[in-house]
Amino acid sequence: MFLGNLASLRYFLPEFAVTATILLLVVLHVVTKSPRSTASGFLSLLGVGTAIFLAGITPTGAGRSIFEGMVAHDGFAVFFKVLTALATLVVIFMSMDSRDLAGRSQAEYYIFLLSTLLGMFLLSSATDIVMLYLSLELVSIPSYLLAGYLKGQEHSTEAAMKYVVFGATASGVMIYGFSILFGLTGSTQVAEIGRSLAAGKATLPMLLAAVMVAVGFGYKIAAVPFHMWSPDVYEGAPTPATAFFSIGPKAAGFAVLVRFYYTVFAAADPGTGLWRLTSAVDWPFLFAVLSALTMTVGNLVAIKQNNVKRLLAYSSIAHAGYMLMGFVLLSSAGIEAILFYLVVYLFMNLGAFYVVVVVSNTTRGEDISDFTGLGSRAPFAAVALSIFLFALTGIPPFSGFIGKVYLFAEVIHRGVYWLAVVAALNSVVSLYYYARIVRAMFLEEPKDASAIPVPAVSFAMLVLLAAPTLILGVYWEPVARIATDSVRMLAF
Amino acid sequence: MGFVDSHILSLMTFLPILGAVVLLCVPKGKDDVIRWIAAVASFLPLVLAVKLWFAYDRTLAGVNVASQYQFVEHYAWIPSINVEYFLGADGISMPLLLLTALLSFLAVIGSFGITNKVKGYMALFLLLETGMMGVFASLDFFLFYVFWEVMLLPMYFLIGIWGGPRKEYAAIKFFLYTLAGSVLMLLVLLALYFNTTNPETGGHTFNLLHYMAQGTHNAWLKGFDVRVLMFLGLFIGFAIKVPLFPFHTWLPDAHVEAPTAISVILAGVLLKMGAYGLMRISFPIFPDVTRWFAMPMAVIGVVNIVYGALCALAQSDLKKMVAYSSVSHMGFVLLGMAALTPLGMAGASMQMFSHGLITAMLFFLVGVVYDRAHHRQIDGFGGLGAVVPIYTGFISFAFFASLGLPGLSGFIAEQMVFLGSFEAFRPIVIVAAIGIVFVAAFHLWSLQRVFLGPLNPKYATMEEINAREIFCLAPLGILVLAVGIWPMPILNLLNASAVRLVDLVKAVI
């Protein structure tokens, strides 16, 4: 039933592509005279593009367990691989545009970025708790380095330091939870653990394990109360890295969260598209409370932010809260809603960060006041940012609205009305702070009215990010189908 | 002509946004070209509206019977969740479609005076028109909701960029209030979706007509408590838009800060959407709750009438006074609807149409004086009647129409509401009738202070109303007079549907 190591290799091509690119980058770094050349950026683009292509063409069928049960190769994993690789692709473009990174060694930066990507690939497909832990660390450690990449800048160093300390604590607690699970069941296979737990009724240790693991995953998706690191890290890290953190590791975190909890602490009811709890531990309720807290805290604190990066950090906390709603419903439609939301979130959030990069390249700042009068200084960028921000708010006809509709719909379908009401009210709150940026851009006159240049590549990328944000708001059937198919193939 | 005839509502809805796209391609600096493109893009829907007027079969009622809707377009949009592109018109939506087409065109003409960022202004305005048309034409709740929300963005920018001194505050207040109402609507919409079945396919549905057939509701949705909650969720969403007391506080700010043409649209069309939503969605889907909630609605309606009039009486700003007069007049709409009599319901529809015309005139006229004097303080003028006689004639006409002078459209509508609701809520209607005195008072008092008495020498050389402004006002004035003298054409338009709607609500389920 498990595929052996050699037979598994042909399902591992995207990972090979990324690994090969990382190795080539190391070589390139050694042989090129100038470490600042853009060659490494282009090489990374090529590598990630290849990985997406390979992930897209490898057939998944009903899903299979490869490398002796370490990793799953199924639609769910492929969905997240393509998603995180797409995010990385955009972030590479963004990094090549960013003035934050100009004048620093490029190859190392891309090596860290691609290592994180490799970690995310593995994290979204790991089915063994040892593998899972290793891939989580493979995501985390290069992330710390990325956060601290602006050597010599206090903020950046602070960001990296906080990231490390919080990260180490969270993964320590998580691995404690893993050890309890191993002690209870004697297995490291998530599917096996799930079956053993369903048979025995050790409620208290299970509750302990469920909570401890939640700490580790909650930290990755920046759910309240494990979110403390994220505003400082988001603010201090180079902007492209921030954009990357806000979608990449978060998406992978959701992947592992769903796979782990739906395998270990729940069992699928075949044919109904529903799961049932296998124990008395009501973790969905626990996460529902976390979800409500996460969106509320994220939105309320965002109101007071003046730094756009920090504001977007809190906003991304709030969005994790929305997505958590889909996680607590024990239904395929709930997971589909998360997947759909991640797709639209990818475009609108990266788009917003892209504009921040373009603007701060000229203004050298990321405060809301730096965006004043952007409507006349760089009309295209301002319109694009407005589209992204209103999409994040969830207003039609933008894609974010459809994402929210899917989440809200399933919450209401499952009868968790209180959560739907909390989320709806949160949407209203979020309008206030997103509109603050729009207001600065269009409703206020700039002190410095000089034009802000938008380079051709940035322009093209903004168009490419805004187009899906608009189109998916009007016609989203294909993406909804992809999300449905990706859940249907979820194999444990 | 086949395509035009079979897609007339789509064309009315999407021609404006098409115009916006065209106009965005015009190079900078050609403001006049942009203005004329916008004028054409809003004139074409008006032409189609005239066509609609002649083609509409006045014997068909619509409301809950799909086969009696006219100009229907029905396609699948997102099959996986059963969202449909479903447009159609009946007697409830017809007057409002006509009103929207007319006011949008006049508002574009009235906006020719805008010189700052003309391109953005016109593009946003046309987007707004698309949203308004879409709301009145949609028969799919999801589609309705999308159009309903699409209006928020252009409105936010139109108030926020081209508005008065406190524009930022007014714009965001409008946005937040309306969004708060509409997220409630979204929750109700989703709950309806999951608890009804489409009798034809067996799946869930967003089709409003299916919701109106009570047999499609499941057991959960038949529970009265649930229905009350859902009705109230919708009611708050619509009440914010109307706006009904106590959700009206965004209105004076938004109206006062908005540029003239946008105030016209706000008062003339947007306020009608709330009442339209109640007629189109709340009443026929929840008839039992509607009956249960009729008395509170009537009370809220009367509070609106009296409170709006009293607030208007206290204003020193002419535009704010007109804004509060809208609060007062929308109270009549709610009172007429709550009576659940054919006459009351038709009166409510009539009042919406008539108020759309009259309030548009009023806001245009306030804009005229503001353009010249750069303030709107009622006490800051005096004796203008001697300087600008034509203008004074227009504004007196509009004020008398607004206070319900017999022979003008407002009188007809208000009398229908009173007659229709008197039997149902005697004491309440008597209070409302007394409210009329205040309505008359603030109109006459401000008329006296601004136009009569000794001339304020500062304005001795004030410019008379010009041809473009008369062009905007004259059609409205003619309609107000025509409807006031001979209301039958409009009444025939909406009567069958009003009767059907009342029957539907009164039928015991």
Side-chain angles (χ1 to χ4, degrees):
Chain A
M1 98 191 200
F2 297 148
L3 239 48
N5 286 337
L6 279 178
S8 300
L9 292 180
R10 66 197 191 90
Y11 299 111
F12 211 54
L13 297 178
E15 284 82 354
F16 283 136
V18 176
T19 315
T21 316
I22 295 172
L23 294 176
L24 280 175
L25 280 168
V26 174
V27 175
L28 186 78
H29 187 43
V30 175
V31 297
T32 48
K33 298 267 183 305
S34 154
R36 282 157 204 176
S37 85
T38 50
S40 45
F42 286 112
L43 181 63
S44 313
L45 282 180
L46 195 69
V48 176
T50 314
I52 295 177
F53 176 71
L54 292 172
I57 59 160
T58 328
T60 55
R64 51 181 67 77
S65 199
I66 59 174
F67 292 112
E68 309 285 0
M70 282 288 172
V71 177
H73 178 257
D74 55 15
F76 189 72
V78 169
F79 176 90
F80 277 95
K81 285 179 194 174
V82 174
L83 185 87
T84 49
L86 258 182
T88 312
L89 202 66
V90 178
V91 169
I92 295 171
F93 274 111
M94 208 187 282
S95 311
M96 290 165 76
D97 260 357
S98 168
R99 207 175 274 183
D100 272 359
L101 297 166
R104 293 178 192 270
S105 172
Q106 300 280 305
E108 289 166 9
Y109 174 82
Y110 291 112
I111 290 170
F112 298 149
L113 200 62
L114 266 63
S115 306
T116 316
L117 178 63
L118 183 62
M120 297 191 298
F121 278 12
L122 294 171
L123 190 58
S124 50
S125 49
T127 52
D128 183 286
I129 50 176
V130 177
M131 187 66 210
L132 203 156
Y133 177 73
L134 285 176
S135 44
L136 192 86
E137 290 299 311
L138 185 54
V139 174
S140 299
I141 293 169
S143 299
Y144 306 148
L145 294 166
L146 283 175
Y149 203 72
L150 302 179
K151 207 160 43 183
Q153 286 195 11
E154 217 174 287
H155 275 313
S156 187
T157 314
E158 181 193 338
M161 193 62 209
K162 280 197 173 148
Y163 210 175
V164 171
V165 173
F166 275 94
T169 314
S171 60
V173 175
M174 183 183 77
I175 204 163
Y176 200 147
F178 284 167
S179 71
I180 295 176
L181 289 178
F182 181 71
L184 284 174
T185 61
S187 172
T188 57
Q189 288 285 323
V190 285
E192 187 55 40
I193 295 174
R195 277 189 291 276
S196 307
L197 288 181
K201 294 281 178 235
T203 304
L204 184 66
M206 264 175 82
L207 177 66
L208 216 59
V211 171
M212 285 178 148
V213 176
V215 174
F217 296 160
Y219 154 83
K220 263 285 147 268
I221 62 170
V224 172
F226 319 113
H227 68 291
M228 303 290 189
W229 58 274
S230 82
D232 290 325
V233 171
Y234 278 35
E235 188 182 355
T239 311
T242 307
F244 183 65
F245 296 153
S246 74
I247 170 78
K250 193 168 279 207
F254 269 101
V256 69
L257 186 70
V258 170
R259 199 188 278 280
F260 188 84
Y261 277 83
Y262 278 54
T263 318
V264 171
F265 298 113
D269 280 332
T272 58
L274 294 176
W275 274 259
R276 62 190 153 72
L277 293 180
T278 50
S279 66
V281 180
D282 192 3
W283 57 266
F285 180 72
L286 177 80
F287 275 97
V289 173
L290 283 190
S291 158
L293 275 178
T294 303
M295 59 180 104
T296 310
V297 170
N299 278 325
L300 290 182
V301 182
I303 290 177
K304 300 201 90 177
Q305 303 309 318
N306 283 320
N307 181 297
V308 174
K309 269 165 83 179
R310 219 176 155 83
L311 185 149
L312 287 173
Y314 281 106
S315 121
S316 95
I317 292 173
H319 284 273
Y322 298 138
M323 285 186 265
L324 270 179
M325 292 196 299
F327 171 66
V328 304
L329 303 170
L330 295 174
S331 71
S332 316
I335 304 173
E336 274 164 52
I338 299 180
L339 301 193
F340 189 91
Y341 201 87
L342 280 168
V343 173
V344 299
Y345 180 70
L346 167 84
F347 293 113
M348 58 195 185
N349 205 45
L350 286 180
F353 274 109
Y354 216 117
V355 179
V356 174
V357 168
V358 170
V359 171
S360 62
N361 275 346
T362 302
T363 61
R364 312 305 293 154
E366 294 120 3
D367 284 341
I368 291 185
S369 58
D370 291 309
F371 286 75
T372 308
L374 197 66
S376 53
R377 299 182 71 186
F380 174 75
V383 170
L385 183 54
S386 311
I387 291 176
F388 297 130
L389 292 176
F390 285 124
L392 286 166
T393 317
I395 290 177
F398 305 121
S399 59
F401 166 67
I402 307 299
K404 276 201 179 139
V405 164
Y406 272 95
L407 283 170
F408 287 16
E410 191 54 18
V411 173
I412 287 181
H413 192 192
R414 297 285 150 231
V416 195
Y417 301 108
W418 66 272
L419 193 55
V421 172
V422 171
L425 294 178
N426 263 293
S427 291
V428 182
V429 174
S430 75
L431 168 69
Y432 182 75
Y433 62 83
Y434 290 127
R436 276 182 69 203
I437 304 177
V438 176
R439 167 186 165 159
M441 290 195 298
F442 287 101
L443 274 52
E444 289 168 11
E445 294 301 321
K447 272 172 244 131
D448 168 14
S450 62
I452 292 179
V454 181
V457 178
S458 311
F459 185 88
M461 285 308 287
L462 285 178
V463 170
L464 286 178
L465 292 168
T469 305
L470 284 167
I471 294 168
L472 291 180
V474 180
Y475 189 74
W476 61 92
E477 179 94 11
V479 176
R481 287 204 187 286
I482 291 172
T484 311
D485 291 344
S486 302
V487 176
R488 202 176 288 155
M489 286 184 269
L490 181 64
F492 304 108
Chain B
M1 284 307 275
F3 179 81
V4 173
D5 283 330
S6 57
H7 296 84
I8 191 160
L9 289 177
S10 289
L11 286 170
M12 284 176 74
T13 307
F14 291 105
L15 276 177
I17 206 171
L18 198 69
V21 173
V22 172
L23 146 180
L24 284 175
C25 303
V26 175
K28 243 186 187 144
K30 307 219 170 197
D31 285 354
D32 273 330
V33 179
I34 290 169
R35 290 189 183 110
W36 284 108
I37 292 175
V40 170
S42 58
F43 183 66
L44 291 178
L46 181 60
V47 173
L48 293 173
V50 173
K51 201 169 152 51
L52 221 56
W53 166 265
F54 287 111
Y56 184 78
D57 180 347
R58 283 154 177 78
T59 57
L60 297 179
V63 187
N64 64 335
V65 184
S67 60
Q68 292 193 357
Y69 275 90
Q70 304 179 44
F71 320 112
V72 170
E73 293 168 51
H74 200 165
Y75 308 99
W77 173 16
I78 307 292
S80 63
I81 53 168
N82 309 312
V83 181
E84 294 164 357
Y85 180 78
F86 185 13
L87 302 183
D90 68 353
I92 300 177
S93 52
M94 270 301 286
L96 297 167
L97 285 166
L98 303 178
L99 186 70
T100 307
L102 176 66
L103 291 186
S104 298
F105 172 64
L106 294 180
V108 169
I109 301 296
S111 306
F112 272 29
I114 298 270
T115 51
N116 174 26
K117 300 176 194 152
V118 179
K119 195 195 260 188
Y121 179 92
M122 291 299 179
L124 287 167
F125 186 90
L126 292 172
L127 178 60
L128 179 67
E129 185 177 354
T130 290
M132 298 186 296
M133 288 288 186
V135 164
F136 293 131
S138 305
L139 294 176
D140 181 278
F141 204 172
F142 197 93
L143 189 63
F144 176 94
Y145 186 82
V146 169
F147 282 124
W148 178 278
E149 293 274 280
V150 159
M151 284 177 320
L152 298 185
L153 281 181
M155 205 35 128
Y156 169 76
F157 285 111
L158 286 168
I159 298 174
I161 300 180
W162 290 275
R166 289 169 68 237
K167 57 189 184 178
E168 289 103 347
Y169 171 77
I172 193 67
K173 190 170 177 182
F174 164 81
F175 206 161
L176 285 172
Y177 260 73
T178 339
L179 188 67
S182 40
V183 294
L184 285 177
M185 201 198 307
L186 178 65
L187 297 182
V188 176
L189 177 159
L190 293 171
L192 274 171
Y193 174 74
F194 283 112
N195 293 291
T196 48
T197 43
N198 182 337
E200 288 145 32
T201 63
H204 296 308
T205 178
F206 284 112
N207 187 323
L208 283 172
L209 304 183
H210 288 322
Y211 292 162
M212 294 175 199
Q214 303 294 327
T216 61
H217 297 193
N218 71 5
W220 182 79
L221 193 55
K222 286 198 164 78
F224 191 68
D225 297 348
V226 169
R227 294 172 76 83
V228 168
L229 274 177
M230 289 173 77
F231 182 89
L232 290 180
L234 286 177
F235 185 78
I236 293 174
F238 293 137
I240 289 173
K241 203 79 164 188
V242 172
L244 298 176
F245 180 88
F247 305 110
H248 67 285
T249 58
W250 63 269
L251 178 131
D253 288 307
H255 275 66
V256 169
E257 300 307 326
T260 298
I262 302 310
S263 303
V264 168
I265 292 295
L266 255 178
V269 182
L270 258 69
L271 303 194
K272 312 299 177 293
M273 282 180 182
Y276 173 76
L278 289 174
M279 283 192 189
R280 168 67 74 227
I281 295 172
S282 303
F283 278 33
I285 296 179
F286 302 108
D288 47 342
V289 190
T290 305
R291 293 194 300 269
W292 172 80
F293 202 59
M295 180 62 110
M297 279 195 287
V299 172
I300 295 173
V302 173
V303 169
N304 253 49
I305 297 175
V306 177
Y307 177 83
L310 288 175
C311 284
L313 201 54
Q315 296 312 314
S316 56
D317 181 317
L318 199 55
K319 200 169 183 184
K320 215 163 188 166
M321 187 197 89
V322 175
Y324 274 111
S325 84
S326 287
V327 174
S328 177
H329 283 127
M330 290 309 287
F332 286 103
V333 176
L334 198 71
L335 179 62
M337 285 160 66
L340 299 179
T341 59
L343 192 57
M345 193 64 76
S349 268
M350 191 72 184
Q351 170 73 353
M352 285 205 263
F353 185 74
S354 152
H355 175 249
L357 300 174
I358 296 170
T359 198
M361 281 189 86
L362 289 173
F363 276 112
F364 270 131
L365 286 159
V366 172
V368 169
V369 73
Y370 182 72
D371 283 346
R372 286 157 178 68
H374 304 291
H375 78 87
R376 297 177 298 248
Q377 292 303 312
I378 297 176
D379 290 326
F381 297 102
L384 285 189
V387 188
V388 283
I390 306 176
Y391 177 76
T392 309
F394 269 108
I395 205 164
S396 310
F397 177 84
F399 270 26
F400 284 120
S402 181
L403 66 77
L405 191 74
L408 302 174
S409 65
F411 173 75
I412 306 280
E414 285 172 18
Q415 289 318 303
M416 284 172 70
V417 168
F418 279 140
L419 291 174
S421 55
F422 188 67
E423 280 308 317
F425 318 108
R426 246 174 225 215
I428 302 181
V429 175
I430 291 172
V431 175
I434 295 169
I436 290 284
V437 178
F438 299 117
V439 176
F442 73 77
H443 282 112
L444 295 174
W445 192 32
S446 58
L447 203 59
Q448 176 199 337
R449 283 183 288 171
V450 176
F451 297 97
L452 305 178
L455 175 67
N456 183 340
K458 240 166 75 186
Y459 301 107
T461 55
M462 200 162 115
E463 201 188 321
E464 180 59 282
I465 185 167
N466 65 31
R468 181 171 61 79
E469 288 154 350
I470 292 180
F471 180 83
C472 292
L473 290 164
L476 297 171
I478 292 168
L479 277 173
V480 167
L481 188 62
V483 174
I485 295 171
W486 183 237
M488 288 321 285
I490 301 289
L491 282 179
N492 287 337
L493 195 66
L494 49 83
N495 198 40
S497 297
V499 173
R500 166 71 57 80
L501 179 57
V502 170
D503 285 347
L504 189 67
V505 175
K506 288 228 156 160
V508 179
I509 57 158

